[in-house]
Amino acid sequence: IRSFFVRHKKKNLTENMAEIVCADFDASDSSSTNFAACLIAEESAANLAEVEAGLDIFYLLFAGSLVFLMQAGFAMLCAGSVRQKNVKNIMLKNLLDACGGALGFWSIGFAFAYGSSDSSTKSFIGGSNFFLSDIGTTVDLAEGANPGAAYIGFFFQFAFAATAATIVAGTVAERCKMSAYLCYSIFLTGFVYPVVVHSIWAANGFLSAFNANPPLGVGVVDFAGSGVVHMTGGATALVAAKILGPRIGRFYDADGIPLPEPKDFPAHSVSLQILGTFILWFGWYGFNPGSTLAIANSGAGAVAGLCAVTTTIAAATGCVTAMFFSTIIEQRKTGEATYDLTMAMNGALSGLVAITAGCSVVAPWAALVIGFVGGLVYYGFSSLLVKLRIDDAVDAVPVHFANGAWGVIAVGLFAEPGRMAAAYSDAAAEHSGWFYEWGQGSADASLLACQVFCVLWVIGWVGATMIPFFFVLNMLGLFRVDPLEEEVGLDISHHKGSAYDLSAPDKDQVEELLARQATAHGKVEAPSAGEDA
């Protein structure tokens, strides 16, 4: 057996060890040591397969936990970004995102996303495994399936679904009813988002790169979800913000007359904002490298390592780009240079969103370019929303929608053939990013065309489903809170009081305490010069 490892250097010994050892020896003589070596090799291969399966399950548990931790990051970021009178409300909505996402995705969402994944066919939506009923059945076990792998696959995908729903929370903060929030959170994670997932990530999705016959020979490459997760959540947030309308006093006065300049509502806690940003950045290392879905072989490990590097570079570049570009623009307008922390934080998140689609198929230098453009896209789209008088309380739409679209398109420009082969397949590598194709004298834009169609598909699907949905909620009076409740604050009107106890002590008691301290401790006056003598 030891000589086997010396003579056969394979990337994946589990699949090849028993086959090669038994081919080298005469297995017909059951009394020989050759036969024993063959049996040992087969048993070792089986044991290695079990270890690899367990390691991959643990890896997804770890990565999925990091993605779920991003819920805390969103909660902190949103809580810090809103005004003090609405902190409880936005925190509860972030918590209910996880709850609604879990129930909606478990009951029907996962089935719509990944049910009946036969790569030889194509379908619009999945139709099996509702309530995870197909996992661990007698038939499933008879076919040799590992229930643990199926369960951890659901857990990892649920964390992504909850992320898509949470994106909307910050945009509609401070004026959205709780009932409306619960309705669209479940609808998004149970139906709208799973259809997008199925189309791009399922083996039988009509845009999937994993299909046996992908569109244009390559399909859509969205490795960790710039389009699937972030664009879907961001497009939903954009529709919701437009139909819901701006917060009172943001763009219009009490008579509905447009203000000369939009009124800013300063964040109540920069500390919570920066804490949330760092938690999100940390969680992204589960989001992107974890999307390899495996780690027990050198190929998956190499892809995961690349994802970690490109994720870091894009985030850092997006941060400094957005902040310094904002500084330059302001200096040209006012003559004074200031450094906007909000621009820096959202710039980092923009870089993270933009690199998510191509983190496994682009080089580190391309990640820098993607992050740089991501910072500019964030600044431009944020300014555009203000001009259009669309109120996004936390700038989630520029971060997730605009940069989600840019990230998807960037893959069609920067994807390297070799990295496409490592992350997807040799067939996919035949259609690389357009810049590489152009550099090789080819006019093949198959991948870029698929990526552009993906952006149009997500916009069209989310618009077709969520616009009527939010219009109905608004017509029924279930979408927006009462103006007086909004002015007072949703914490007091909906959650039994403010998030912070800022009540001052009783004035009479304070005066009594000061008087007691003055007499009890004997107020000593400095002696005069005559008394010293």
Side-chain angles (χ1 to χ4, degrees), residues 323-378:
M323 185 185 72
F324 284 112
F325 186 77
S326 171
T327 299
I328 293 171
I329 295 298
E330 184 178 4
Q331 187 176 31
R332 291 179 65 87
K333 288 181 178 179
T334 65
E336 297 291 334
T338 59
Y339 305 95
D340 192 337
L341 179 59
T342 299
M343 281 288 167
M345 293 185 296
N346 285 334
L349 297 178
S350 295
L352 289 166
V353 171
I355 197 60
T356 297
C359 58
S360 65
V361 296
V362 303
W365 69 263
L368 185 142
V369 176
I370 292 171
F372 176 80
V373 176
L376 299 180
V377 168
Y378 164 70

Side-chain angles (χ1 to χ4, degrees), residues 150-206:
Y151 284 128
I152 202 64
F154 162 78
F155 169 72
F156 188 70
Q157 296 300 332
F158 140 72
F160 276 59
T163 299
T166 304
I167 292 169
V168 188
T171 297
V172 298
E174 302 193 313
R175 70 244 197 230
C176 178
K177 280 189 176 181
M178 184 64 67
S179 56
Y181 191 80
L182 288 171
C183 288
Y184 77 70
S185 180
I186 295 175
F187 183 58
L188 179 63
T189 57
F191 179 64
V192 179
Y193 169 77
V195 170
V196 178
V197 171
H198 185 82
S199 66
I200 297 172
W201 283 346
N204 60 339
F206 64 92

Side-chain angles (χ1 to χ4, degrees), residues 394-436:
V394 299
D395 259 358
V397 173
V399 170
H400 297 279
F401 173 71
N403 273 289
W406 158 238
V408 172
I409 294 173
V411 173
L413 300 174
F414 296 103
E416 285 190 8
R419 302 183 197 277
M420 285 280 287
Y424 284 84
S425 66
D426 291 336
E430 296 177 3
H431 306 278
S432 55
W434 188 76
F435 288 155
Y436 285 92

